Amino acid sequence: MLRYEVKKVFSRTGSKIALLILTAAFALTVFLAVGSVEYVDEQGNSSSGIAAARRLWEDKNKWAGEINEDVLLNMLAKNREINASAEYLSSDYMENNKAYARKQGFSDIRDMMNYAFTAFREYDYYRVDSVTDEEVGSFYERRISNLADWLESDEAKDMYSEEEKKFLLARYQALKTPFYYEYADGWKAFTEYAPTIIMLTVLILGFPISGLFASEFQWKADAVFFSAKLGRNKAVRAKIGAGILIVTGIYWMVVFLYSAVVFGILGTDGADCAIQTGLGGWKSFYNITYFESYLLIILGGYLGSLFMLTLVMLVSAKTHSAVISVTVPFALLFIPSFLSGISVLSKVLGLLPDQLLQMGQAVCYFNLYQTGSAVTGAVPIIMTLYPVLFFVMLPVLYQVYRKTQIK
Amino acid sequence: MKMELDNLTKQFGAFTAVDHISITMSNGVYGLLGVNGAGKTTLMRMLCTLLKPTEGTIYCNGRDIWEMDSDYRRLLGYLPQEFGFYPEFSVQDYLLYIAALKGIRPAVARKRVKELIMKVGLAKEASHKMKKLSGGMKRRAGIAQAMLNDPQILILDEPTAGLDPNERIRFRNLISELSEERLVLLSTHIVSDVEYIANEIWMMQEGKIMHQGTAEQIIASMPVAVWECLVEKQMVSALTKRYKVSNLKTEPAGVTLRIISGEKPCEQAKRADITLEDVFLYYFGEKAGDEDVAI
């Protein structure tokens, strides 16, 4: 019966079109992800692709290892040397590119320095150029002191409770230093474009899934379905099973292919590096590696997809309308974006299911939740909350559909 | 097989679609006659557990059908008025899917589907997509799906609606053939469909069974007579205003009218044999338009 339910879904023209669109969206996202890693050669020319990634890997891995004071001093010296070169001082951008070509090997370390030596909410690309050798020793302390200063600033002092502030500082202090560093651009590219492909997968899957419980009504096959022996029990379970199977199958196929292509081209080096070694993860209070972040992204994406698309099934079972139910993922993904400017809602928005589809970003947000004296971030909550809601929805979906009356 | 409808009522808001019906059925063919909106489909949907009654219940061999749940639906075959299907499925796949819905094991289902496809004359179209079938073929696929589980209760809601005369006769014969040793309830607003094959006819109006019995009993119960007369064209208007006219035929010599009346409508009128169609018009005439009584 499950086979027929899946067949019914994919026999619809709309479902076939949705799969074609998903294929095109996948190709475009992979192209953007792979293209996001650029290499500038000695002549100042940019390129991307396998060869470019390979050369960037060679340059960056010259700096692989623990980022201790010696490495930072070495980087500062190298930076100063390049800053004094004719290429760097030239007004010709191609000459500047040649200078950058010599800096790109330590560009990640340079970015971290820029963050460490500017205020918490600021970023100055040229700050590293004025960092002195004497200051370098405070690199890791500054990450913590910057946060502490910000938490006491007018902007943030009332934003968090004392327990939350302590929690954040404790998380910062718990991060293992010195950082281990190596080329990790494959993980960074994956993380940057993962929300795009995961969200597109959910939005596009909404179309076939919305028809799963509505097609009987659309095709007027409801009377035969519900008057059949298993129409109000096993057949309903088969529909739910087909929905979960389709979501699971397509989601993991997309994630597997996306991972395979991105990592196949850009490499999997840097899996054990902390996400704080990258520009986006520097401020995160989640002390995890790129590999752990990857697991969070793909698992969070799966849980979010399951939740949202089960909700689509539930709305479809209740309303008997594919048109209404297909709007559910759009509402869940886009309404939070419209509300994101309202600061009083930030705590609520941090717990909405769209966060599961963008875990790479969720681990960088300062969404904190306090119960008594216990403080936690949004990620553990949403990773627990939505699987529970998913399991709660299943019997509700079953009962709603099996009790359908045909008027 | 014994079905009992006990005080069965269905209301949609203030509208009563089925109004306190109590009736018993056993094996045989029952014809449910009534104009559109009489409550036939609502009654049948309750018999198929698609709708829950507002009041009353239905018993199958003494057990409440809603408590029996799938045990009751196992006995049931249903062809709805608006027979929907999965357009991209082939006839064979469609029937195999419905067989799965009916809990028939795959090996048995394949055999049964093959038999029924032959029986309803769709062997050549077995691999055709459902959406490519003609109206008559779709109806035949519909009766095949209803028969898949060899049901003891077969409910057919307007099975001949929209079919051309040849297909309708063919379909009627098929139903007749399939009706042995089971309870068949057939609803229609086309009188001739039930006249030939129903053992008992129920005439339904405004949610109630107004008359029931064999065709002969119902005909005999009509308190007025049927007359035939050949009249001049200018008299037709006056006669149709005064009497219920069940048929009107223009001929070179004038117009032959078939009139339902307790009195002799004109000098030249002769009594004619009463048909079920006349009875239908007599009882439901106010609501029945020409289309409703036409064969």
Side-chain angles (χ1 to χ4, degrees), chain A residues 5 8 14 47 57-58 69 86 125 160 162 216 220 237 245 276 307 315-316 338 341 346 394 403:
Chain A
E5 288 301 335
K8 261 194 273 177
S47 61
W57 176 86
E58 284 169 3
E69 201 171 332
Y125 181 78
Y160 302 102
E162 285 308 312
E216 263 70 26
K220 299 189 190 304
R237 290 198 292 274
L245 184 71
Q276 285 76 8
F307 171 79
V315 172
S316 157
F338 291 119
S346 64
L394 293 182
K403 287 180 179 170

Side-chain angles (χ1 to χ4, degrees), chain A residues 48-361:
Chain A
S48 57
I50 297 176
R54 185 72 202 164
R55 296 190 67 182
L56 190 62
W57 176 86
E58 284 169 3
D59 275 15
K60 285 194 172 183
N61 274 355
K62 285 175 188 162
W63 295 84
E66 282 190 351
I67 306 176
N68 53 32
E69 201 171 332
D70 291 342
V71 173
L72 293 172
L73 285 170
N74 187 17
M75 190 278 287
L76 278 184
K78 189 82 181 164
N79 189 56
R80 283 186 204 118
E81 179 194 319
I82 297 165
N83 285 356
S85 67
E87 292 94 339
Y88 184 81
L89 296 170
S90 167
S91 56
D92 180 353
Y93 82 94
M94 280 304 284
E95 291 300 306
N96 295 157
N97 279 358
K98 287 177 189 171
Y100 175 75
R102 293 164 60 199
K103 284 188 177 185
Q104 65 191 340
F106 58 84
S107 59
D108 293 329
I109 301 170
R110 194 179 180 282
D111 284 336
M112 282 188 272
M113 287 278 270
N114 284 329
Y115 260 128
F117 289 93
T118 50
F120 188 75
R121 294 271 278 169
E122 289 168 19
Y123 177 79
D124 179 358
Y125 181 78
Y126 298 102
R127 177 66 182 91
V128 70
D129 298 344
S130 59
V131 172
T132 62
D133 289 356
E134 291 70 33
E135 286 178 307
V136 162
S138 64
F139 175 71
Y140 291 110
E141 285 79 12
R142 277 181 174 268
R143 183 170 174 270
I144 300 165
S145 63
N146 282 347
L147 171 68
D149 292 346
W150 179 68
L151 289 173
E152 293 311 314
S153 69
D154 287 344
E155 182 191 3
K157 67 181 179 188
D158 297 327
M159 206 181 281
Y160 302 102
S161 67
E162 285 308 312
E163 286 82 1
E164 287 172 337
K165 288 176 185 174
K166 278 182 196 164
F167 171 83
L168 284 174
L169 287 167
R171 298 303 300 157
Y172 265 47
Q173 282 157 355
L175 181 62
K176 190 185 165 201
T177 56
F179 294 157
Y180 173 76
Y181 172 79
E182 65 179 346
Y183 166 92
D185 286 45
W187 300 99
K188 289 177 197 166
F190 180 92
T191 304
E192 188 180 353
Y193 287 93
T196 308
I197 190 63
I198 292 174
M199 283 184 187
L200 284 171
T201 303
V202 171
L203 290 176
I204 294 168
L205 272 181
F207 288 89
I209 293 296
S210 65
L212 194 56
F213 284 83
S215 61
E216 263 70 26
F217 303 94
Q218 184 196 335
W219 288 326
K220 299 189 190 304
D222 48 352
V224 171
F225 182 90
F226 286 108
S227 63
K229 181 188 172 190
L230 305 178
R232 290 188 187 271
N233 40 55
K234 197 177 170 187
V236 183
R237 290 198 292 274
K239 277 188 180 289
I240 297 171
I244 293 171
L245 184 71
I246 291 167
V247 174
T248 303
I250 292 183
Y251 174 82
W252 286 111
M253 193 169 70
V254 168
V255 165
F256 173 77
L257 288 174
Y258 177 62
S259 304
V261 177
V262 171
F263 292 129
I265 294 173
L266 302 178
T268 57
D269 305 70
D272 293 332
C273 292
I275 58 169
Q276 285 76 8
T277 58
L279 195 60
W282 171 258
K283 291 179 188 170
S284 173
F285 63 83
Y286 293 93
N287 299 334
I288 53 175
T289 63
Y290 277 118
F291 181 67
E292 288 163 340
S293 167
Y294 169 77
L295 292 180
L296 265 183
I297 290 167
I298 60 173
L299 189 61
Y302 178 57
L303 296 176
S305 307
L306 264 189
F307 171 79
M308 288 188 185
L309 293 164
T310 305
L311 193 59
V312 170
M313 289 193 254
L314 183 58
V315 172
S316 157
K318 186 73 188 165
T319 62
H320 307 165
S321 164
V323 177
I324 294 171
S325 52
V326 82
T327 62
V328 170
F330 286 89
L332 289 175
L333 290 180
F334 294 120
I335 290 177
S337 307
F338 291 119
L339 300 176
S340 61
I342 306 170
S343 58
V344 290
L345 293 177
S346 64
K347 289 216 171 196
V348 176
L349 295 177
L351 295 179
L352 294 183
D354 64 305
Q355 296 296 303
L356 283 167
L357 307 191
Q358 40 191 342
M359 289 297 268
Q361 290 164 10

Side-chain angles (χ1 to χ4, degrees), chain A residues 5 7-8 216 405 407, chain B residues 45 52 86 93 97 101:
Chain A
E5 288 301 335
K7 188 173 178 177
K8 261 194 273 177
E216 263 70 26
Q405 294 204 42
K407 290 179 183 171
Chain B
R45 284 185 173 171
K52 281 205 164 184
Y86 307 101
D93 271 352
Y97 172 57
L101 275 181

Side-chain angles (χ1 to χ4, degrees), chain B residues 11-12 40 42 46 64 83 94 103 121 125 141 145 156 160 166-167 175 185 189 193 216 228 248 259 268 277:
Chain B
Q11 290 177 313
F12 297 105
K40 306 187 296 290
T42 303
M46 285 193 283
D64 187 314
F83 167 61
Y94 171 72
E125 290 79 17
Q145 67 76 24
L156 307 168
T160 57
N166 281 335
E167 192 72 51
I175 293 165
L185 179 61
H189 63 283
D193 282 348
E216 293 75 22
E228 272 189 358
L248 187 152
I259 294 170
Q268 65 274 38
E277 210 177 310

